[in-house]
Amino acid sequence: MSIKQDLINGELWVAQQRKKMGNSAYEAWVKSQETRYFTSFKSEAEVKDFMRKAGYDYKRIDTGRYIYIKTHIGSDDYDCVWWLYRGDEIIAVINNDVDKSYVEKYMKKVESATGKKVFFLSIKERNAYHSRRVEAPVKEEKIVEPEPIPEYTFPTIFTDTSVLKQALKNIGINTKMQGDNFEFTLDGFNTSIYKEGSSNYEFKIVGKCNLKKVHGYFNKVETEYNKVVQYNIIQNIKSKVVKSPTMQLAQEEVLEDNSVLLTIRV
């Protein structure tokens, strides 16, 4: 399958997830999977020119609904930089699953071609860097600071504590409860599913970890949560049918999509 078709399929998936999670929760989920770098590029022509000088490509993909612009930086078609143009800002977006060695090599080659630092994690960081260069161009001293312990937090659709507790138990995750919050260990990393007030639960993991595995665990918990919700609904319906003198359960059938069809005779 071509990357263009993957993008078209992805647009449909995005629409479904936005409806399912809500726009703000979905945006937070997307940001948790990528890193955005604010750049010092001034125009698209400048970006294209320096990609060529650094030895990289600059490609446009039109799905008919959106135009995607990317630069390959690794061996796989998905090891790439996605370019966002937001008014005067030119932003480089890199998925957190891309090998860090590809990212470091790419940034080093681009900044070598431009002769200056190009990629910044915030506009504030970029402005401060350029201010230092203008006011007092001095040799930068390399300061070695302890590397912060990374934390990853993902929004969820989980709202019911008892359903979530049963789902975690069903997939074999042993948890400690702190009030309505869950604490446990995944692959040696401290993990929690917590909420504040009446908001949805959030999934949090602390430490350097394989994000692909983390997303796999997250999807597994979400799938089981939905199964428990479905089971509880079905049991509630069946209980009402049993108690009713005018209804009888004629058939219970599990469909191909794992939904359940109940046929009730009145």
Side-chain angles (χ1 to χ4, degrees):
M1 184 179 294
S2 69
I3 190 169
K4 178 176 179 178
Q5 186 60 50
D6 284 348
L7 289 171
I8 293 173
N9 294 342
E11 289 169 359
L12 176 60
W13 181 87
V14 166
Q16 293 171 340
Q17 287 299 103
R18 282 187 186 277
K19 183 177 180 181
K20 178 180 178 182
M21 299 175 66
N23 192 60
S24 59
Y26 174 77
E27 290 297 333
W29 167 249
V30 169
K31 289 181 180 179
S32 73
Q33 299 180 76
E34 64 187 25
T35 301
R36 295 191 172 195
Y37 296 93
F38 294 85
T39 74
S40 56
F41 291 126
K42 300 301 183 183
S43 67
E44 183 175 2
E46 188 180 14
V47 177
K48 292 169 68 175
D49 182 45
F50 280 110
M51 291 307 102
R52 179 183 58 79
K53 288 180 179 178
Y56 293 96
D57 61 7
Y58 184 89
K59 292 191 173 182
R60 286 174 173 263
I61 303 171
D62 188 349
T63 65
R65 185 176 182 183
Y66 297 107
I67 294 177
Y68 300 85
I69 307 173
K70 69 172 184 171
T71 293
H72 295 97
I73 66 173
S75 58
D76 189 89
D77 205 20
Y78 292 91
D79 294 328
C80 59
V81 174
W82 297 96
W83 294 100
L84 291 181
Y85 293 87
R86 296 288 184 265
D88 294 333
E89 290 296 339
I90 299 177
I91 304 167
V93 182
I94 303 178
N95 192 283
N96 293 331
D97 289 339
V98 176
D99 193 303
K100 295 298 181 289
S101 65
Y102 291 155
V103 178
E104 291 171 2
K105 180 180 178 182
Y106 166 73
M107 290 185 175
K108 184 176 181 180
K109 290 180 69 175
V110 171
E111 291 179 345
S112 176
T114 61
K116 62 182 180 181
K117 185 170 174 60
V118 172
F119 302 96
F120 303 86
L121 290 173
S122 68
I123 295 176
K124 182 179 179 180
E125 178 190 357
R126 183 188 62 194
N127 292 345
Y129 172 80
H130 288 300
S131 295
R132 289 197 303 270
R133 286 173 61 90
V134 171
E135 295 171 5
V138 296
K139 184 178 180 180
E140 295 184 13
E141 294 184 4
K142 191 172 184 179
I143 300 175
V144 178
E145 297 181 354
E147 188 175 349
I149 299 175
E151 295 184 1
Y152 306 94
T153 303
F154 312 117
T156 79
I157 61 170
F158 310 146
T159 56
D160 190 297
T161 303
S162 61
V163 171
L164 181 55
K165 185 176 182 179
Q166 186 62 50
L168 292 168
K169 181 179 179 181
N170 288 353
I171 60 179
I173 295 180
N174 297 317
T175 66
K176 289 194 303 182
M177 297 291 296
Q178 294 290 339
D180 288 338
N181 299 329
F182 301 82
E183 295 182 353
F184 51 98
T185 301
L186 286 179
D187 281 351
F189 298 101
N190 294 328
T191 308
S192 60
I193 302 179
Y194 69 95
K195 68 175 178 177
E196 298 177 356
S198 59
S199 61
N200 286 21
Y201 276 95
E202 293 189 344
F203 185 99
K204 179 179 180 181
I205 188 164
V206 179
K208 288 185 177 179
C209 57
N210 186 318
L211 285 174
K212 287 185 178 180
K213 284 188 176 181
V214 172
H215 292 316
Y217 284 123
F218 179 89
N219 291 334
K220 190 174 182 180
V221 175
E222 185 180 70
T223 298
E224 191 59 34
Y225 182 92
N226 288 330
K227 286 182 180 179
V228 175
V229 170
Q230 176 180 267
Y231 175 82
N232 289 347
I233 292 172
I234 292 171
Q235 293 304 114
N236 184 44
I237 294 173
K238 290 167 69 174
S239 176
K240 291 181 180 179
V241 171
V242 169
K243 294 177 182 179
S244 173
T246 61
M247 293 189 292
Q248 181 181 3
L249 180 62
Q251 185 178 10
E252 180 177 343
E253 181 182 1
V254 179
L255 305 180
E256 291 184 1
D257 62 355
N258 289 322
S259 61
V260 177
L261 175 64
L262 298 179
T263 304
I264 299 173
R265 184 177 294 116
V266 179

